[in-house]
Amino acid sequence: MPRIVDAQERADEILGAAIKILSEGGFARLTLSNLAKELGGSIRLVTHYFRNREELIHGIVERLTRETDVILDELRSLDDPRERLRRALAWFLLGDLQDTREESVRLALRDHQGDPAVDEFFDVVEPSMRRVLRVALAGDETTEVRESDVDLLRIWTSGIALNAIERPALWTIEHQERALDHLLQVFTSH
């Protein structure tokens, strides 16, 4: 009897493998053939869910958007402004291999802007990250916040992620959390 496969689980498995390939090998390595090898199956396994690389990147965007929606819901439920900001910034830290891979995708795609699927990635992901920071600062999406504060926090989150990717032995999760504590101390003292 054939094994029953949950379509969403299988699609997420394929996207996870695509994220792994992108983070470890870059854009050029993200092929249907390499993805099938990574999954231990045939290309048809992949093309049943994603017909081409563009659909894979679109799927990654949707996956990251779902993750963003989860943190936004969590932030909206927090009344304490400092805790809300702490939780949002902690979400950007690279605490495990999956976090590192997802952030590495952004780095792998940056040199391929101009490709419509890659442009979609940046057109969706960057505003989503900024939205998380706005909600962290205001508690909702209707209250105005200073864009310079959002800029400062976005630069910090990007910078700490890049450092954690480039120098993981130095920028451990504990080091990242100490930097977060210091940022909160400085940012909330004014």
Side-chain angles (χ1 to χ4, degrees):
M1 180 178 288
R3 190 179 112 203
I4 297 177
V5 177
D6 179 274
Q8 186 61 50
E9 280 182 32
R10 180 57 61 107
D12 282 342
E13 178 185 357
I14 294 168
L15 292 173
I19 287 169
K20 180 177 188 257
I21 289 170
L22 271 169
S23 69
E24 293 175 357
F27 189 68
R29 295 243 330 118
L30 183 61
T31 65
L32 298 179
S33 176
N34 286 339
L35 194 50
K37 285 178 195 167
E38 178 69 30
L39 293 164
S42 71
I43 289 179
R44 285 192 339 203
L45 165 72
V46 177
T47 59
H48 180 74
Y49 295 90
F50 302 97
R51 292 178 302 186
N52 52 45
R53 181 166 45 189
E54 292 74 28
E55 286 186 9
L56 282 166
I57 293 172
H58 181 75
I60 291 169
V61 169
E62 287 181 349
R63 179 176 166 154
L64 296 175
T65 300
R66 286 192 308 268
E67 292 173 8
T68 302
D69 290 342
V70 170
I71 188 64
L72 285 167
D73 288 344
E74 182 180 331
L75 295 175
R76 289 183 196 108
S77 73
L78 296 172
D79 293 327
D80 179 10
R82 191 173 202 289
E83 181 55 31
R84 190 173 53 241
L85 182 57
R86 167 179 265 302
R87 179 62 193 107
L89 293 174
W91 182 71
F92 284 93
L93 301 182
L94 304 186
D96 62 23
L97 181 59
Q98 187 60 33
D99 292 341
T100 302
R101 283 180 175 160
E102 287 179 1
E103 185 62 25
S104 295
V105 165
R106 188 167 63 107
L107 298 175
L109 294 178
R110 74 178 184 272
D111 293 333
H112 299 281
Q113 293 182 55
D115 179 292
V118 173
D119 289 346
E120 177 201 8
F121 176 89
F122 287 103
D123 289 347
V124 172
V125 171
E126 183 60 24
S128 293
M129 300 301 103
R130 295 179 67 83
R131 194 164 136 220
V132 167
L133 296 171
R134 279 190 194 90
V135 170
L137 290 167
D140 61 46
E141 291 156 88
T142 59
T143 304
E144 276 195 47
V145 297
R146 291 188 314 224
E147 281 304 303
S148 59
D149 288 345
V150 175
D151 290 341
L152 176 64
L153 294 175
R154 186 61 183 128
I155 289 166
W156 187 88
T157 59
S158 290
I160 202 162
L162 181 59
N163 277 290
I165 289 169
E166 290 176 340
R167 307 229 13 234
L170 173 62
W171 285 94
T172 63
I173 189 62
E174 294 81 14
H175 191 167
Q176 293 174 65
E177 288 170 344
R178 285 192 305 273
L180 170 57
D181 289 339
H182 184 71
L183 176 69
L184 284 170
Q185 189 175 26
V186 170
F187 198 82
T188 59
S189 68
H190 66 275

